[in-house]
Amino acid sequence: MSGGFFRGTSADQDTRFSNKQAKLLKSQKFAPELDHLVDIRKVKMDVVKPWIATRVTEFLGFEDEVLINFIYGLLDGKEINGKEVQIQLTGFMEKNTGKFMKELWNLLRSAEQNASGVPQQFLDAKEEEIKKKKEEADRITLEIQKKRDIEQEKAKEMDGEVDKTRSQSDGFHSLPKRLPPVGEEDIASEERNGSRGNNR
């Protein structure tokens, strides 16, 4: 130690670190999408973060909160270099890193270009979801209306049968009363009266 300062160099001053980063940038394969920097300030990260957590979990086969939060940290800035992010993630996600970064960068670039700050893919999915819900609601409404129409038709048929029965009943009561049946005594009496008349 001389003059109150430590001898040596910092990591920034040591060319071995910068050379390693440069070598990784040259040796790794990057998707064309990663050639573009992304202005994270134009992106609604609270919408993108759930996708990141879900996709990382799908690739790894389990939920790794440490890695997920690490990715959030890498995306915390102004203009983000996708290639540098991929280099940082390769040790964790290995062969899945390239595919993940391509999907992520497509979403981030789409969100950056949208005034809403939301990826177009998310907006389309939401619109499709709303459309399906409306179609389902319309289908249910139509089914309910059909059932009501059938019930009303049945009710009309029942009312018609009741009216028909009533009219038949009223017609029956309006018929003239039948004469009482003629008994045997009455017939015998008429015959006797007739024979008497002939004798006269």
Coordinates of all heavy atoms in Angstrom, one line a residue, residues 71-157:
I71 N -34.5 -11.9 -13.4 CA -34.9 -11.4 -14.7 C -35.6 -10.0 -14.6 O -35.3 -9.1 -15.4 CB -35.8 -12.4 -15.4 CG1 -35.1 -13.7 -15.6 CG2 -36.3 -11.8 -16.7 CD1 -35.9 -14.8 -16.2
Y72 N -36.4 -9.9 -13.6 CA -37.1 -8.6 -13.4 C -36.0 -7.5 -13.2 O -36.1 -6.4 -13.7 CB -38.0 -8.6 -12.1 CG -39.2 -9.5 -12.3 CD1 -39.9 -9.9 -11.1 CD2 -39.6 -10.0 -13.5 CE1 -41.0 -10.7 -11.2 CE2 -40.8 -10.8 -13.6 CZ -41.4 -11.1 -12.4 OH -42.5 -11.9 -12.5
G73 N -35.0 -7.8 -12.4 CA -33.9 -6.9 -12.2 C -33.1 -6.5 -13.4 O -32.7 -5.4 -13.6
L74 N -32.9 -7.5 -14.3 CA -32.2 -7.3 -15.5 C -32.9 -6.4 -16.5 O -32.4 -5.6 -17.3 CB -31.9 -8.6 -16.3 CG -30.9 -9.6 -15.6 CD1 -30.8 -10.9 -16.4 CD2 -29.5 -9.0 -15.5
L75 N -34.3 -6.4 -16.3 CA -35.1 -5.5 -17.2 C -35.5 -4.2 -16.5 O -36.3 -3.4 -17.1 CB -36.4 -6.3 -17.5 CG -36.2 -7.6 -18.3 CD1 -37.6 -8.3 -18.4 CD2 -35.6 -7.4 -19.6
D76 N -34.8 -3.9 -15.4 CA -35.1 -2.7 -14.7 C -34.1 -1.6 -15.2 O -32.9 -1.6 -14.7 CB -35.0 -2.9 -13.2 CG -35.4 -1.7 -12.4 OD1 -36.0 -0.7 -13.0 OD2 -35.1 -1.6 -11.2
G77 N -34.5 -0.8 -16.1 CA -33.6 0.2 -16.6 C -34.2 1.1 -17.6 O -35.5 1.2 -17.7
K78 N -33.5 1.7 -18.5 CA -34.0 2.5 -19.5 C -34.0 1.7 -20.9 O -35.0 1.2 -21.3 CB -33.2 3.8 -19.7 CG -33.3 4.7 -18.4 CD -32.5 6.0 -18.6 CE -32.6 6.9 -17.4 NZ -31.8 8.1 -17.5
E79 N -32.9 1.7 -21.5 CA -32.8 0.9 -22.7 C -32.0 -0.4 -22.4 O -30.9 -0.3 -21.9 CB -32.1 1.7 -23.8 CG -32.9 2.9 -24.3 CD -32.3 3.5 -25.6 OE1 -31.0 3.4 -25.7 OE2 -33.0 4.1 -26.4
I80 N -32.7 -1.5 -22.7 CA -32.1 -2.8 -22.3 C -31.6 -3.5 -23.6 O -32.2 -3.5 -24.6 CB -33.2 -3.7 -21.7 CG1 -33.9 -2.9 -20.5 CG2 -32.6 -5.0 -21.2 CD1 -32.9 -2.5 -19.4
N81 N -30.4 -4.1 -23.4 CA -29.7 -4.9 -24.5 C -30.1 -6.3 -24.3 O -29.7 -7.0 -23.3 CB -28.2 -4.7 -24.5 CG -27.5 -5.3 -25.6 OD1 -27.9 -6.3 -26.1 ND2 -26.4 -4.7 -26.1
G82 N -30.9 -6.9 -25.2 CA -31.3 -8.2 -25.1 C -30.2 -9.3 -25.1 O -30.3 -10.3 -24.4
K83 N -29.1 -9.0 -25.9 CA -28.0 -9.9 -25.9 C -27.3 -10.1 -24.6 O -26.9 -11.2 -24.2 CB -27.0 -9.5 -27.0 CG -27.6 -9.5 -28.4 CD -26.6 -9.1 -29.5 CE -27.2 -9.1 -30.9 NZ -26.2 -8.7 -31.9
E84 N -27.2 -8.9 -23.9 CA -26.5 -9.0 -22.6 C -27.4 -9.7 -21.6 O -26.9 -10.4 -20.7 CB -26.3 -7.5 -22.1 CG -25.2 -6.8 -22.9 CD -25.0 -5.4 -22.5 OE1 -25.7 -4.9 -21.5 OE2 -24.1 -4.7 -23.0
V85 N -28.7 -9.5 -21.7 CA -29.7 -10.3 -20.8 C -29.5 -11.8 -21.1 O -29.5 -12.6 -20.1 CB -31.1 -9.8 -21.1 CG1 -32.1 -10.6 -20.2 CG2 -31.3 -8.3 -20.7
Q86 N -29.5 -12.2 -22.3 CA -29.4 -13.6 -22.7 C -28.1 -14.2 -22.1 O -28.1 -15.3 -21.6 CB -29.4 -13.8 -24.2 CG -29.2 -15.2 -24.6 CD -29.5 -15.5 -26.1 OE1 -30.4 -14.9 -26.6 NE2 -28.8 -16.4 -26.7
I87 N -27.0 -13.5 -22.2 CA -25.7 -14.0 -21.6 C -25.9 -14.2 -20.1 O -25.4 -15.2 -19.6 CB -24.6 -13.0 -21.9 CG1 -24.2 -13.0 -23.4 CG2 -23.3 -13.3 -21.1 CD1 -23.2 -11.9 -23.8
Q88 N -26.5 -13.3 -19.4 CA -26.8 -13.4 -18.0 C -27.6 -14.6 -17.6 O -27.5 -15.2 -16.6 CB -27.4 -12.1 -17.4 CG -26.6 -10.9 -17.6 CD -25.4 -10.9 -16.5 OE1 -25.5 -11.5 -15.5 NE2 -24.4 -10.1 -16.8
L89 N -28.5 -15.0 -18.5 CA -29.5 -16.0 -18.2 C -29.1 -17.4 -18.7 O -29.6 -18.4 -18.2 CB -30.9 -15.7 -18.9 CG -31.6 -14.5 -18.4 CD1 -32.9 -14.3 -19.1 CD2 -31.9 -14.6 -16.9
T90 N -28.1 -17.5 -19.6 CA -27.7 -18.8 -20.1 C -27.3 -19.8 -19.1 O -27.6 -21.0 -19.2 CB -26.5 -18.6 -21.1 OG1 -26.9 -17.7 -22.1 CG2 -26.1 -19.9 -21.7
G91 N -26.6 -19.4 -18.0 CA -26.2 -20.3 -17.0 C -27.4 -20.9 -16.2 O -27.3 -22.0 -15.6
F92 N -28.5 -20.2 -16.2 CA -29.7 -20.7 -15.5 C -30.7 -21.5 -16.4 O -31.2 -22.5 -16.0 CB -30.5 -19.5 -14.9 CG -29.7 -18.7 -13.9 CD1 -29.0 -17.5 -14.4 CD2 -29.5 -19.0 -12.6 CE1 -28.3 -16.7 -13.5 CE2 -28.8 -18.3 -11.7 CZ -28.2 -17.1 -12.1
M93 N -30.9 -21.0 -17.6 CA -31.9 -21.6 -18.4 C -31.3 -22.5 -19.5 O -32.0 -23.2 -20.3 CB -32.8 -20.5 -19.1 CG -33.5 -19.7 -18.0 SD -34.7 -18.5 -18.8 CE -36.0 -19.6 -19.4
E94 N -30.0 -22.4 -19.7 CA -29.2 -23.2 -20.6 C -29.9 -23.2 -22.0 O -30.0 -22.2 -22.6 CB -29.2 -24.7 -20.1 CG -28.4 -24.7 -18.7 CD -28.4 -26.1 -18.1 OE1 -29.1 -27.0 -18.6 OE2 -27.6 -26.3 -17.2
K95 N -30.2 -24.4 -22.6 CA -30.7 -24.5 -24.0 C -32.0 -23.7 -24.2 O -32.3 -23.4 -25.4 CB -30.8 -26.0 -24.4 CG -31.9 -26.7 -23.6 CD -32.0 -28.1 -24.0 CE -33.1 -28.9 -23.3 NZ -33.3 -30.3 -23.7
N96 N -32.8 -23.5 -23.2 CA -34.0 -22.8 -23.4 C -33.9 -21.2 -23.4 O -34.8 -20.5 -23.7 CB -35.0 -23.1 -22.2 CG -35.4 -24.6 -22.2 OD1 -35.7 -25.1 -23.3 ND2 -35.4 -25.2 -21.1
T97 N -32.7 -20.8 -23.1 CA -32.5 -19.3 -23.1 C -32.8 -18.6 -24.3 O -33.5 -17.6 -24.3 CB -31.0 -19.0 -22.7 OG1 -30.6 -19.8 -21.5 CG2 -30.8 -17.5 -22.3
G98 N -32.3 -19.1 -25.5 CA -32.5 -18.5 -26.8 C -34.0 -18.3 -27.1 O -34.5 -17.3 -27.5
K99 N -34.7 -19.4 -26.9 CA -36.2 -19.4 -27.2 C -36.9 -18.5 -26.3 O -37.8 -17.7 -26.8 CB -36.7 -20.8 -27.1 CG -38.2 -20.9 -27.5 CD -38.7 -22.4 -27.4 CE -40.1 -22.5 -27.9 NZ -40.6 -23.9 -27.8
F100 N -36.6 -18.5 -25.0 CA -37.2 -17.6 -24.1 C -37.0 -16.1 -24.4 O -37.9 -15.3 -24.4 CB -36.7 -17.9 -22.7 CG -37.1 -16.9 -21.6 CD1 -38.4 -16.8 -21.2 CD2 -36.3 -15.9 -21.2 CE1 -38.9 -15.9 -20.2 CE2 -36.6 -15.0 -20.2 CZ -37.9 -14.9 -19.8
M101 N -35.7 -15.8 -24.7 CA -35.4 -14.4 -25.1 C -36.1 -13.9 -26.3 O -36.5 -12.8 -26.4 CB -33.9 -14.3 -25.2 CG -33.1 -14.3 -23.9 SD -33.7 -13.0 -22.7 CE -33.3 -11.5 -23.7
K102 N -36.2 -14.8 -27.3 CA -36.9 -14.4 -28.6 C -38.3 -14.1 -28.3 O -38.8 -13.1 -28.8 CB -36.8 -15.6 -29.6 CG -37.4 -15.2 -30.9 CD -37.2 -16.4 -31.9 CE -37.9 -16.0 -33.2 NZ -37.7 -17.1 -34.3
E103 N -39.0 -14.9 -27.5 CA -40.4 -14.7 -27.2 C -40.5 -13.4 -26.3 O -41.4 -12.6 -26.6 CB -41.0 -15.9 -26.4 CG -41.1 -17.1 -27.2 CD -41.6 -18.3 -26.4 OE1 -42.0 -18.1 -25.2 OE2 -41.6 -19.4 -26.9
L104 N -39.7 -13.3 -25.4 CA -39.7 -12.1 -24.5 C -39.5 -10.8 -25.3 O -40.2 -9.8 -25.1 CB -38.7 -12.2 -23.4 CG -38.5 -11.0 -22.4 CD1 -39.8 -10.7 -21.7 CD2 -37.4 -11.2 -21.4
W105 N -38.5 -10.8 -26.1 CA -38.2 -9.6 -26.9 C -39.2 -9.2 -27.9 O -39.5 -8.0 -28.1 CB -36.8 -9.7 -27.6 CG -35.9 -8.6 -27.2 CD1 -35.4 -7.6 -28.1 CD2 -35.4 -8.2 -25.9 NE1 -34.7 -6.7 -27.4 CE2 -34.7 -7.1 -26.0 CE3 -35.6 -8.8 -24.6 CZ2 -34.0 -6.4 -25.0 CZ3 -35.0 -8.2 -23.6 CH2 -34.2 -7.0 -23.7
N106 N -39.9 -10.2 -28.5 CA -41.0 -9.9 -29.3 C -42.1 -9.2 -28.6 O -42.8 -8.2 -29.1 CB -41.6 -11.2 -30.0 CG -40.8 -11.6 -31.2 OD1 -40.2 -10.8 -31.9 ND2 -40.7 -12.9 -31.4
L107 N -42.4 -9.6 -27.3 CA -43.4 -9.0 -26.5 C -43.0 -7.6 -26.1 O -43.8 -6.7 -26.2 CB -43.7 -9.9 -25.2 CG -44.3 -11.2 -25.4 CD1 -44.4 -12.0 -24.1 CD2 -45.7 -11.0 -26.1
L108 N -41.8 -7.4 -25.7 CA -41.3 -6.1 -25.2 C -41.3 -5.1 -26.4 O -41.7 -4.0 -26.2 CB -39.9 -6.3 -24.6 CG -39.8 -7.1 -23.3 CD1 -38.3 -7.2 -22.8 CD2 -40.7 -6.5 -22.2
R109 N -40.8 -5.5 -27.5 CA -40.8 -4.6 -28.7 C -42.2 -4.2 -29.1 O -42.5 -3.1 -29.5 CB -40.1 -5.3 -29.8 CG -38.6 -5.4 -29.6 CD -37.8 -5.8 -30.8 NE -38.0 -4.8 -31.9 CZ -37.9 -5.0 -33.2 NH1 -37.8 -6.2 -33.6 NH2 -38.0 -4.0 -34.0
S110 N -43.1 -5.2 -29.0 CA -44.5 -4.9 -29.4 C -45.1 -3.9 -28.4 O -45.8 -3.0 -28.8 CB -45.3 -6.2 -29.4 OG -46.7 -5.9 -29.6
A111 N -44.9 -4.1 -27.1 CA -45.4 -3.2 -26.1 C -44.8 -1.9 -26.2 O -45.5 -0.8 -26.0 CB -45.0 -3.8 -24.7
E112 N -43.5 -1.8 -26.6 CA -42.8 -0.5 -26.7 C -43.4 0.3 -27.9 O -43.6 1.5 -27.8 CB -41.3 -0.8 -27.0 CG -40.5 0.5 -27.3 CD -39.1 0.1 -27.7 OE1 -38.9 -0.9 -28.3 OE2 -38.2 1.0 -27.5
Q113 N -43.9 -0.4 -28.9 CA -44.5 0.3 -30.1 C -45.9 0.6 -29.9 O -46.5 1.5 -30.6 CB -44.3 -0.6 -31.3 CG -42.8 -0.8 -31.7 CD -42.6 -1.9 -32.7 OE1 -43.6 -2.5 -33.2 NE2 -41.4 -2.3 -33.0
N114 N -46.6 0.0 -28.9 CA -48.0 0.3 -28.7 C -48.1 1.5 -27.7 O -47.4 1.6 -26.7 CB -48.7 -0.9 -28.1 CG -49.3 -1.8 -29.1 OD1 -49.5 -1.4 -30.3 ND2 -49.6 -3.0 -28.8
A115 N -49.1 2.3 -28.0 CA -49.3 3.5 -27.1 C -49.7 3.1 -25.7 O -49.4 3.8 -24.7 CB -50.4 4.4 -27.7
S116 N -50.4 1.9 -25.6 CA -50.8 1.4 -24.3 C -49.7 0.8 -23.5 O -49.9 0.6 -22.3 CB -51.9 0.4 -24.5 OG -51.5 -0.7 -25.2
G117 N -48.6 0.5 -24.1 CA -47.5 -0.1 -23.4 C -47.7 -1.6 -23.2 O -47.0 -2.3 -22.4
V118 N -48.8 -2.2 -23.8 CA -49.1 -3.6 -23.7 C -48.8 -4.3 -25.0 O -49.1 -3.8 -26.1 CB -50.6 -3.7 -23.3 CG1 -51.0 -5.2 -23.2 CG2 -50.9 -3.0 -22.0
P119 N -48.2 -5.5 -24.9 CA -48.0 -6.3 -26.2 C -49.3 -6.5 -26.9 O -50.3 -6.8 -26.4 CB -47.4 -7.6 -25.6 CG -46.8 -7.2 -24.3 CD -47.7 -6.2 -23.7
Q120 N -49.2 -6.4 -28.3 CA -50.3 -6.6 -29.1 C -50.9 -8.0 -28.9 O -52.1 -8.2 -29.0 CB -50.0 -6.4 -30.6 CG -51.1 -6.4 -31.5 CD -52.1 -5.3 -31.2 OE1 -51.7 -4.2 -30.9 NE2 -53.4 -5.6 -31.3
Q121 N -50.0 -9.0 -28.7 CA -50.5 -10.4 -28.5 C -51.4 -10.5 -27.3 O -52.4 -11.2 -27.3 CB -49.2 -11.3 -28.2 CG -49.6 -12.7 -28.0 CD -48.3 -13.5 -27.7 OE1 -47.2 -13.2 -28.1 NE2 -48.5 -14.7 -27.1
F122 N -51.1 -9.7 -26.2 CA -52.0 -9.7 -25.1 C -53.3 -9.0 -25.4 O -54.4 -9.5 -24.9 CB -51.3 -9.0 -23.9 CG -50.1 -9.7 -23.3 CD1 -49.7 -10.9 -23.8 CD2 -49.5 -9.2 -22.2 CE1 -48.6 -11.5 -23.3 CE2 -48.4 -9.8 -21.7 CZ -47.9 -11.0 -22.2
L123 N -53.3 -8.0 -26.1 CA -54.5 -7.2 -26.5 C -55.4 -8.1 -27.4 O -56.6 -8.2 -27.2 CB -54.2 -6.0 -27.2 CG -53.4 -4.9 -26.5 CD1 -53.0 -3.7 -27.4 CD2 -54.2 -4.4 -25.3
D124 N -54.8 -8.8 -28.3 CA -55.6 -9.7 -29.2 C -56.2 -10.9 -28.4 O -57.3 -11.3 -28.6 CB -54.7 -10.3 -30.3 CG -54.2 -9.2 -31.3 OD1 -54.8 -8.2 -31.3 OD2 -53.2 -9.5 -32.0
A125 N -55.4 -11.4 -27.4 CA -55.9 -12.5 -26.6 C -57.1 -12.0 -25.7 O -58.1 -12.8 -25.6 CB -54.8 -13.1 -25.7
K126 N -57.0 -10.8 -25.2 CA -58.1 -10.3 -24.4 C -59.3 -10.0 -25.2 O -60.4 -10.3 -24.8 CB -57.6 -8.9 -23.8 CG -58.6 -8.4 -22.7 CD -58.6 -9.3 -21.5 CE -59.5 -8.7 -20.5 NZ -59.7 -9.6 -19.3
E127 N -59.1 -9.5 -26.5 CA -60.2 -9.3 -27.3 C -60.9 -10.6 -27.7 O -62.2 -10.7 -27.7 CB -59.7 -8.6 -28.6 CG -60.9 -8.2 -29.6 CD -60.3 -7.5 -30.8 OE1 -59.1 -7.1 -30.8 OE2 -61.1 -7.3 -31.7
E128 N -60.2 -11.6 -28.0 CA -60.7 -12.9 -28.3 C -61.5 -13.5 -27.1 O -62.5 -14.1 -27.2 CB -59.6 -13.9 -28.7 CG -60.0 -15.3 -29.1 CD -60.8 -15.2 -30.4 OE1 -60.7 -14.3 -31.2 OE2 -61.6 -16.2 -30.7
E129 N -60.9 -13.3 -25.9 CA -61.6 -13.8 -24.7 C -63.0 -13.1 -24.5 O -64.0 -13.7 -24.2 CB -60.7 -13.5 -23.4 CG -61.3 -13.9 -22.1 CD -60.4 -13.5 -20.9 OE1 -59.3 -13.1 -21.1 OE2 -60.9 -13.7 -19.8
I130 N -63.0 -11.8 -24.7 CA -64.2 -11.0 -24.6 C -65.2 -11.5 -25.6 O -66.4 -11.6 -25.4 CB -64.0 -9.5 -24.8 CG1 -63.1 -9.0 -23.6 CG2 -65.3 -8.7 -24.9 CD1 -62.6 -7.5 -23.7
K131 N -64.7 -11.7 -26.8 CA -65.6 -12.2 -27.9 C -66.2 -13.6 -27.6 O -67.4 -13.8 -27.8 CB -64.8 -12.3 -29.2 CG -65.6 -12.8 -30.4 CD -64.7 -12.9 -31.7 CE -65.5 -13.4 -32.9 NZ -64.6 -13.6 -34.1
K132 N -65.4 -14.5 -27.0 CA -65.9 -15.8 -26.7 C -67.0 -15.7 -25.5 O -68.0 -16.4 -25.5 CB -64.8 -16.7 -26.3 CG -63.9 -17.2 -27.4 CD -62.8 -18.1 -27.0 CE -62.0 -18.6 -28.1 NZ -60.9 -19.6 -27.7
K133 N -66.7 -14.8 -24.6 CA -67.6 -14.6 -23.5 C -69.0 -14.1 -24.0 O -70.0 -14.5 -23.5 CB -67.0 -13.7 -22.4 CG -66.0 -14.3 -21.5 CD -65.5 -13.4 -20.5 CE -64.4 -14.0 -19.6 NZ -63.9 -13.1 -18.6
K134 N -68.9 -13.2 -24.9 CA -70.1 -12.6 -25.5 C -70.9 -13.7 -26.3 O -72.1 -13.7 -26.2 CB -69.8 -11.4 -26.4 CG -71.0 -10.7 -27.0 CD -70.6 -9.5 -27.9 CE -71.8 -8.8 -28.4 NZ -72.8 -9.6 -29.1
E135 N -70.2 -14.5 -27.1 CA -70.8 -15.6 -27.8 C -71.5 -16.5 -26.9 O -72.6 -17.0 -27.1 CB -69.8 -16.3 -28.7 CG -69.3 -15.4 -29.9 CD -68.2 -16.1 -30.7 OE1 -67.7 -17.2 -30.2 OE2 -67.9 -15.6 -31.7
E136 N -70.8 -16.9 -25.8 CA -71.4 -17.8 -24.8 C -72.6 -17.2 -24.1 O -73.7 -17.9 -23.9 CB -70.3 -18.1 -23.7 CG -70.8 -19.1 -22.7 CD -71.1 -20.5 -23.2 OE1 -70.7 -20.8 -24.3 OE2 -71.7 -21.3 -22.5
A137 N -72.6 -15.9 -23.8 CA -73.7 -15.2 -23.2 C -74.9 -15.2 -24.2 O -76.0 -15.4 -23.8 CB -73.3 -13.8 -22.8
D138 N -74.6 -14.9 -25.4 CA -75.7 -14.9 -26.5 C -76.3 -16.3 -26.6 O -77.5 -16.4 -26.8 CB -75.1 -14.4 -27.8 CG -74.7 -12.9 -27.8 OD1 -75.1 -12.2 -26.9 OD2 -73.9 -12.5 -28.7
R139 N -75.5 -17.3 -26.6 CA -76.0 -18.7 -26.7 C -76.9 -19.0 -25.6 O -78.0 -19.6 -25.8 CB -74.8 -19.6 -26.8 CG -75.2 -21.1 -27.1 CD -74.0 -22.0 -26.9 NE -73.6 -22.1 -25.6 CZ -74.2 -22.8 -24.6 NH1 -75.2 -23.5 -24.9 NH2 -73.7 -22.9 -23.4
I140 N -76.5 -18.6 -24.3 CA -77.3 -18.9 -23.2 C -78.6 -18.2 -23.2 O -79.7 -18.7 -22.9 CB -76.5 -18.6 -21.9 CG1 -75.3 -19.5 -21.7 CG2 -77.4 -18.6 -20.7 CD1 -74.4 -19.1 -20.6
T141 N -78.5 -16.9 -23.7 CA -79.8 -16.1 -23.8 C -80.7 -16.7 -24.8 O -81.9 -16.7 -24.6 CB -79.4 -14.7 -24.2 OG1 -78.5 -14.1 -23.3 CG2 -80.6 -13.8 -24.4
L142 N -80.2 -17.2 -25.9 CA -81.0 -17.8 -27.0 C -81.7 -19.1 -26.4 O -82.8 -19.3 -26.7 CB -80.1 -18.1 -28.2 CG -80.8 -18.7 -29.4 CD1 -81.9 -17.7 -29.9 CD2 -79.8 -19.0 -30.5
E143 N -80.9 -19.9 -25.7 CA -81.5 -21.1 -25.1 C -82.6 -20.8 -24.1 O -83.6 -21.5 -24.2 CB -80.3 -21.9 -24.4 CG -79.3 -22.6 -25.3 CD -79.9 -23.7 -26.1 OE1 -80.9 -24.3 -25.6 OE2 -79.5 -23.9 -27.3
I144 N -82.4 -19.8 -23.3 CA -83.4 -19.4 -22.4 C -84.7 -18.9 -23.1 O -85.8 -19.3 -22.7 CB -82.9 -18.3 -21.4 CG1 -81.8 -18.8 -20.5 CG2 -84.1 -17.7 -20.6 CD1 -81.1 -17.8 -19.7
Q145 N -84.5 -18.2 -24.2 CA -85.6 -17.7 -25.0 C -86.4 -18.8 -25.6 O -87.6 -18.8 -25.7 CB -85.1 -16.7 -26.0 CG -86.2 -16.0 -26.8 CD -87.1 -15.1 -25.9 OE1 -86.6 -14.4 -25.0 NE2 -88.4 -15.3 -26.1
K146 N -85.6 -19.8 -26.1 CA -86.3 -21.0 -26.7 C -87.1 -21.7 -25.7 O -88.3 -22.1 -26.0 CB -85.2 -21.9 -27.3 CG -84.6 -21.4 -28.6 CD -83.6 -22.5 -29.1 CE -83.0 -22.0 -30.5 NZ -82.0 -23.0 -31.0
K147 N -86.6 -21.9 -24.5 CA -87.3 -22.6 -23.5 C -88.6 -21.8 -23.1 O -89.7 -22.4 -22.9 CB -86.5 -22.8 -22.2 CG -85.4 -23.8 -22.4 CD -84.6 -24.0 -21.1 CE -83.5 -25.1 -21.3 NZ -82.7 -25.2 -20.1
R148 N -88.5 -20.5 -23.0 CA -89.7 -19.7 -22.7 C -90.7 -19.8 -23.8 O -91.9 -19.9 -23.5 CB -89.2 -18.2 -22.6 CG -88.5 -17.9 -21.3 CD -88.1 -16.5 -21.2 NE -87.4 -16.2 -19.9 CZ -86.9 -15.0 -19.7 NH1 -86.9 -14.0 -20.6 NH2 -86.3 -14.8 -18.5
D149 N -90.3 -19.8 -25.1 CA -91.2 -19.9 -26.2 C -91.9 -21.3 -26.2 O -93.1 -21.3 -26.4 CB -90.5 -19.8 -27.5 CG -89.9 -18.4 -27.8 OD1 -90.4 -17.5 -27.1 OD2 -89.0 -18.2 -28.6
I150 N -91.2 -22.3 -25.9 CA -91.8 -23.7 -25.8 C -92.8 -23.7 -24.6 O -93.9 -24.3 -24.8 CB -90.7 -24.7 -25.6 CG1 -89.8 -24.9 -26.8 CG2 -91.3 -26.1 -25.2 CD1 -88.6 -25.7 -26.7
E151 N -92.5 -23.1 -23.5 CA -93.4 -23.1 -22.3 C -94.6 -22.3 -22.7 O -95.7 -22.7 -22.3 CB -92.7 -22.6 -21.1 CG -91.6 -23.5 -20.5 CD -90.8 -22.8 -19.4 OE1 -91.1 -21.6 -19.1 OE2 -89.9 -23.5 -18.8
Q152 N -94.5 -21.2 -23.3 CA -95.6 -20.4 -23.7 C -96.5 -21.1 -24.7 O -97.7 -21.1 -24.6 CB -95.2 -19.1 -24.3 CG -94.5 -18.1 -23.3 CD -94.0 -16.8 -24.0 OE1 -94.1 -16.7 -25.2 NE2 -93.5 -15.9 -23.1
E153 N -95.9 -21.8 -25.6 CA -96.7 -22.6 -26.6 C -97.5 -23.7 -25.9 O -98.6 -24.0 -26.3 CB -95.7 -23.2 -27.6 CG -96.4 -23.8 -28.9 CD -97.1 -22.7 -29.7 OE1 -96.6 -21.6 -29.7 OE2 -98.1 -23.1 -30.3
K154 N -96.8 -24.4 -25.0 CA -97.5 -25.4 -24.2 C -98.7 -24.9 -23.4 O -99.8 -25.4 -23.3 CB -96.5 -26.1 -23.3 CG -95.6 -27.1 -24.0 CD -94.7 -27.8 -23.0 CE -93.8 -28.8 -23.6 NZ -92.9 -29.4 -22.7
A155 N -98.5 -23.7 -22.8 CA -99.5 -23.0 -22.0 C -100.7 -22.7 -22.9 O -101.9 -22.8 -22.5 CB -99.0 -21.8 -21.4
K156 N -100.4 -22.2 -24.2 CA -101.5 -21.9 -25.1 C -102.3 -23.1 -25.5 O -103.5 -23.1 -25.6 CB -100.9 -21.2 -26.4 CG -100.4 -19.8 -26.1 CD -99.9 -19.2 -27.4 CE -99.4 -17.8 -27.2 NZ -98.8 -17.3 -28.5
E157 N -101.6 -24.2 -25.7 CA -102.2 -25.5 -26.1 C -103.1 -26.0 -25.0 O -104.3 -26.4 -25.2 CB -101.2 -26.5 -26.4 CG -100.5 -26.3 -27.8 CD -99.4 -27.3 -28.0 OE1 -99.3 -28.2 -27.2 OE2 -98.7 -27.2 -29.1

